[in-house]
Amino acid sequence: MSNDNLKTSRILWIDSVKFFGILAIVLGHTILGGWLKHYVYSFHVPLFFFMMGVTSSLTKFDSKPFFQYVKKQAYSLLVPYYIFAVISTAIIFFVSLFVDFDEAKIFDEPVKLFTQILTGYCRANNPLWFLPCAFVMCTIAYLIVRSVNNIKASKVRIFIFVCIATAFGILMYLNYHYIGIHRIFYKTDSALELLPFFLMGYCFFEYNVSKKIESLNAYIKVPLAIALIVLGAILGSINKEAAYLSSIYGNIAVFYLSAILSILGIIILCMTLRPLKLLTYCGARTITILLLHKFPILAFQRVIPFTSAYLENYSVPVGVAVALISIAVCCVIDVLIMRIAPFMIGKRKVK
């Protein structure tokens, strides 16, 4: 998740894809159950890792010295994580003084709460786990890509990337069914299990698959995109609902296939349709939305009786409305943060 202001023709579709990705994440946290939550959970986190691979290819991330790259990623991902882990915990503590709600139970075990924050899991704001996990994934991906790119033959490189992605997919299967290692430091288990999506995204852009798709006629791309999304939804519906924090994926093969079908369908659709400024604006601010969206959603779910009743009954229209309002609130706060303290979201002031 990055707010990079890359002045290229492709950034528009990239930001559009990121908007639909963050909308899926916010929807998944807004609607408490039902078919829509089940569907968005089948692809939303893999989509962001896929797009991280795309933007890593775009910025030629492997050309940077290792420690320089790691330092930059730590500033972009870990600094916001720790800052908002502290802020989120403080907010929950303050609200718990006036409102009796389940989230306050995290303070029953203060030592556990503190150690979990240090190791990449903030119970006051669960979505923050993505950031340290992304840091681990980017570091591992950097080492893999830099090593593989030393090979001159492009076909050999692609073959090796496929083999590596397959190996991590097998590792995911073994861990899920037999080993059972979960929630280790910085969610390294999820970083390894979902790394194939990063590598697929990297190859998708690096080896010009995106350009070939962009060159297709719109009359081909639109039906193709819809077909991929529908197929992804059908496959996702027959699989167990994914739970990324707990590394629950159901049938691993179905999970991978349904996720990649939905991802490709969304990307092709965003490549084809004229980008809307509002969507690309929000798509360029996904990290702020990720960091903050829990709190407006919590207000709609627990404080406002009208919306809480509908959300408990899995109302899709109300859920979509609440998700969009929450995204809008986060974008307003993003403007303030960028003006006052951009380091809070891993950014620097534009001179």
Side-chain angles (χ1 to χ4, degrees):
M1 294 187 178
S2 172
N3 297 350
D4 294 342
N5 295 317
L6 298 166
K7 301 299 183 181
T8 72
S9 60
R10 292 185 182 86
I11 196 63
L12 296 177
W13 71 258
I14 289 174
D15 281 340
S16 294
V17 172
K18 287 161 65 180
F19 167 78
F20 286 109
I22 200 64
L23 176 61
I25 284 177
V26 177
L27 273 172
H29 296 154
T30 302
I31 300 173
L32 302 177
W35 67 269
L36 183 57
K37 180 182 179 181
H38 191 113
Y39 174 57
V40 298
Y41 265 74
S42 71
F43 73 88
H44 61 8
V45 171
L47 183 146
F48 269 108
F49 286 134
F50 187 99
M51 294 309 295
M52 285 174 64
V54 169
T55 54
S56 294
S57 171
L58 183 64
T59 57
K60 302 298 180 186
F61 79 130
D62 59 308
S63 64
K64 301 176 178 66
F66 176 71
F67 289 107
Q68 179 185 328
Y69 176 74
V70 170
K71 181 180 177 182
K72 182 180 182 297
Q73 292 304 109
Y75 183 81
S76 300
L77 297 169
L78 298 184
V79 169
Y81 166 76
Y82 284 110
I83 288 175
F84 279 89
V86 173
I87 291 173
S88 300
T89 305
I91 290 173
I92 295 297
F93 178 77
F94 179 77
V95 174
S96 69
L97 299 176
F98 305 97
V99 179
D100 183 22
F101 65 145
D102 292 341
E103 279 74 7
K105 292 178 181 178
I106 64 174
F107 300 107
D108 293 343
E109 301 175 288
V111 175
K112 183 178 180 180
L113 174 65
F114 178 73
T115 54
Q116 285 181 331
I117 288 174
L118 286 180
T119 56
Y121 173 43
C122 176
R123 293 166 68 194
N125 192 349
N126 284 344
L128 296 186
W129 72 268
F130 180 91
L131 297 176
C133 178
F135 172 77
V136 173
M137 182 179 290
C138 287
T139 304
I140 296 171
Y142 173 95
L143 295 172
I144 291 172
V145 170
R146 185 148 189 175
S147 299
V148 174
N149 281 349
N150 287 326
I151 300 169
K152 292 183 179 180
S154 61
K155 291 182 180 179
V156 175
R157 293 199 302 269
I158 294 171
F159 175 75
I160 293 174
F161 280 129
V162 170
C163 291
I164 292 172
T166 303
F168 278 105
I170 294 170
L171 175 65
M172 179 187 194
Y173 175 84
L174 294 174
N175 187 44
Y176 182 63
H177 288 283
Y178 302 105
I179 304 171
I181 299 174
H182 305 303
R183 293 193 183 184
I184 58 177
F185 185 79
Y186 280 7
K187 281 293 290 174
T188 300
D189 51 313
S190 292
L192 295 174
E193 291 164 348
L194 299 173
L195 181 64
F197 291 104
F198 185 107
L199 296 178
M200 283 187 278
Y202 176 83
C203 292
F204 178 80
F205 197 87
E206 184 70 14
Y207 296 104
N208 298 319
V209 179
S210 57
K211 287 184 179 179
K212 291 175 182 177
I213 292 174
E214 282 184 286
S215 66
L216 294 174
N217 189 291
Y219 293 107
I220 297 175
K221 286 191 285 188
V222 172
L224 176 61
I226 294 171
L228 290 171
I229 291 170
V230 170
L231 284 173
I234 292 171
L235 280 175
S237 69
I238 65 175
N239 198 20
K240 180 185 290 187
E241 183 176 301
Y244 297 94
L245 195 55
S246 303
S247 296
I248 295 173
Y249 308 104
N251 184 296
I252 303 299
V254 174
F255 167 74
Y256 271 118
L257 185 57
S258 63
I260 198 63
L261 288 172
S262 293
I263 290 167
L264 291 176
I266 292 168
I267 288 175
I268 294 170
L269 199 61
C270 290
M271 284 178 172
T272 308
L273 302 178
R274 178 179 294 180
L276 299 176
K277 287 185 179 180
L278 185 60
L279 302 191
T280 56
Y281 179 87
C282 295
R285 284 150 184 82
T286 50
I287 191 165
T288 306
I289 299 168
L290 176 78
L291 292 165
L292 292 170
H293 73 271
K294 172 175 179 171
F295 297 105
I297 288 173
L298 204 58
F300 284 112
Q301 287 176 336
R302 306 292 176 82
V303 179
I304 303 171
F306 173 79
T307 53
S308 62
Y310 278 100
L311 293 175
E312 285 177 4
N313 291 313
Y314 311 156
S315 171
V316 171
V318 174
V320 172
V322 167
L324 292 173
I325 292 169
S326 300
I327 289 172
V329 169
C330 294
C331 286
V332 171
I333 298 173
D334 177 84
V335 174
L336 298 175
I337 292 174
M338 285 301 294
R339 289 182 179 179
I340 300 169
F343 70 90
M344 292 177 67
I345 55 174
K347 306 299 170 188
R348 303 183 190 277
K349 282 190 175 182
V350 179
K351 296 181 181 180

